[in-house]
Amino acid sequence: MAGFELPDCELGVASAATQIEGGDLDTNWHRWAAAGRIADGSSPARAADHWNRVDEDLELLKTLGVKHYRMGIEWARVEPAPGEFDEAAIAHYRDEVAALRAAGITPLVTLHHFNLPGWLVDAGGWGSRSMKVHFGRFVRRMVLALGEWVNEWIPINEPNVYATQAYLWGHWPPGERSLPKALAVMQAQAEVHIAAYQMIHALQPHALVGTASHLRAFAPADPDNPLHRVAAKASEHLFQRALLKAMNTGVFGWPFRRPSGVVPGRYYDFQGINYYARSTVRGLSDGVAEGVPVNDLGWEIYPQGLIEVCRWVHAAYPSPLYITENGTCDNTDAFRAKYVHDHLAQIAAAALPIKRYYHWCFTDNWEWADGEVPRFGLVELNYETQARTIKESGHFYADIIANAGVTAQAYQRWVASQRYRTN
């Protein structure tokens, strides 16, 4: 559909600390970059220099008209040594969230977005038996420091992506290639999420705490092939369904073990869904069908998958739905407006309580192991000069916010002429 209204879904933008802040810190990702493991040789030390440009970026947020901003905390910055907190860094974050509130923008704070301080890497990272203690100390300090302005929290972002990329496929630090380790890290993250949920509510009873799970639509490469059908079901269970159930309910089914001290219950106030693509499955791998629309990283563009995912999540865990990430790698801004339109159109047509939509991402940013090349932002970033320029897709997004939907005029101006490419 060309035009539609979004009366019940408020739009925002998302970011992650390591991807935008810059700075010469000791993190797992700075170490990975120093070891030459980033595709373009770049480092998060530059990124978008957001740490020094908070005021400039706040003005851009206001220009876009967003009312919700998902941001992250760089753990290594606020706790550079175990139990030793940097009060100046904490004050910087406090000033940032206060400024967001003063501008009428609600912050949603993510506490772990693939980032670990170097001292915790040395202690074993997510394999450390003390991880729950370390993370609990960090959570407590940040809630006490920011709770005057923040009451919406995501303890851990995309635990399934982190576990598989870092411990199964070996593309991210620490570069392991072990299914048992990947599953153990998923289990550890689920247990830590539950502990963080309980701690945040103890400190801030009216807080809203949820997941930000990377969820995909899964499809067999050949629907008539029983092996492909089984593989699709198994991949979906191992990648997302079992972990989401453990995090949300404290019920740890196969392939996890039942942890001691975790009581089954409800450990979510909203469901945060990060949705990007569909996986076409032949075995336990991530594939893409032939002849489908794809973005500049080769991911399938499959807008209806967003609602497919939302339907089963809401049926299993009834609560408000936040699309905590959705966006696309489009290095020339040739089809991003169409991508946004097509996904929001799915939301508009669905009878689901989707209350928030956070576009990934705000500005172009440092894209993990792919470095500075992939561009997901509504705002173009010149890495050399750090100049920011709102893209045409950013102007389209601002227009959607201003009109609580897509007008026929906006569709004709920004969307009608755009086309996806196919693989």
Side-chain angles (χ1 to χ4, degrees), residues 24-322:
D24 187 15
L25 305 172
D26 183 19
T27 75
N28 54 337
W29 283 101
H30 287 74
R31 292 184 180 190
W32 199 242
R37 301 299 295 271
I38 308 303
D40 62 359
S42 64
S43 162
R46 177 162 70 173
D49 193 33
H50 173 74
W51 188 255
N52 298 309
R53 299 170 186 266
V54 170
D55 293 342
E56 180 181 356
D57 286 341
L58 177 58
E59 290 303 312
L60 281 170
L61 290 171
K62 291 160 66 176
T63 297
L64 291 173
V66 302
K67 298 302 181 186
H68 298 276
Y69 179 54
R70 182 181 169 211
M71 58 176 283
I73 304 296
E74 185 60 77
W75 189 351
R77 197 184 288 278
V78 299
E79 192 179 5
E84 297 180 13
F85 288 95
D86 186 324
E87 296 302 327
I90 293 173
H92 184 103
Y93 282 120
R94 196 160 49 237
D95 290 345
E96 181 172 3
V97 295
L100 287 167
R101 282 290 190 181
I105 301 171
T106 301
L108 169 60
V109 173
T110 306
L111 294 168
H112 179 271
H113 197 132
F114 307 152
N115 50 346
L116 290 175
W119 58 262
L120 188 50
V121 173
D122 294 337
W126 280 100
S128 169
R129 294 186 177 182
S130 300
M131 187 64 179
K132 193 176 294 185
V133 172
H134 293 311
F135 195 72
R137 182 178 63 234
F138 169 57
V139 169
R140 179 180 179 83
R141 187 68 185 87
M142 298 318 301
V143 173
L144 291 174
L146 306 183
E148 181 178 349
W149 303 276
V150 178
N151 69 340
E152 298 184 353
W153 306 90
I154 294 171
I156 301 172
N157 176 75
E158 294 189 341
N160 49 355
V161 171
Y162 180 79
T164 53
Q165 290 292 328
Y167 290 90
L168 180 60
W169 308 122
H171 301 317
W172 290 4
E176 303 268 357
R177 293 180 62 87
S178 165
L179 179 58
K181 285 189 177 181
L183 293 173
V185 169
M186 286 186 189
Q187 166 123 11
Q189 290 179 103
E191 292 183 41
V192 165
H193 165 83
I194 291 168
Y197 179 92
Q198 294 171 317
M199 175 177 287
I200 293 170
H201 275 282
L203 296 170
Q204 200 179 42
H206 301 297
L208 298 176
V209 184
T211 60
S213 300
H214 183 110
L215 303 180
R216 298 184 182 185
F218 281 83
D222 178 1
D224 295 325
N225 186 323
L227 294 179
H228 289 188
R229 294 198 303 270
V230 169
K233 290 287 187 183
S235 294
E236 184 179 21
H237 180 80
L238 289 170
F239 183 70
Q240 58 195 34
R241 289 202 183 231
L243 178 58
L244 193 60
K245 182 177 182 179
M247 294 177 73
N248 280 332
T249 69
V251 176
F252 288 71
W254 182 85
F256 303 122
R257 56 173 178 78
R258 181 191 298 179
S260 61
V262 174
V263 177
R266 175 173 168 144
Y267 300 107
Y268 63 92
D269 303 309
F270 62 86
Q271 288 299 307
I273 295 171
N274 296 358
Y275 175 81
Y276 291 93
R278 175 171 65 170
S279 289
T280 298
V281 177
R282 291 176 174 82
L284 294 180
S285 60
D286 180 21
V288 179
E290 292 294 327
V292 297
V294 293
N295 71 7
D296 289 352
L297 287 173
W299 304 353
E300 181 180 356
I301 297 171
Y302 183 67
Q304 56 267 46
L306 173 60
I307 300 307
E308 292 174 12
V309 165
C310 286
R311 287 197 191 285
W312 73 254
V313 170
H314 185 61
Y317 314 107
S319 61
L321 299 172
Y322 291 5

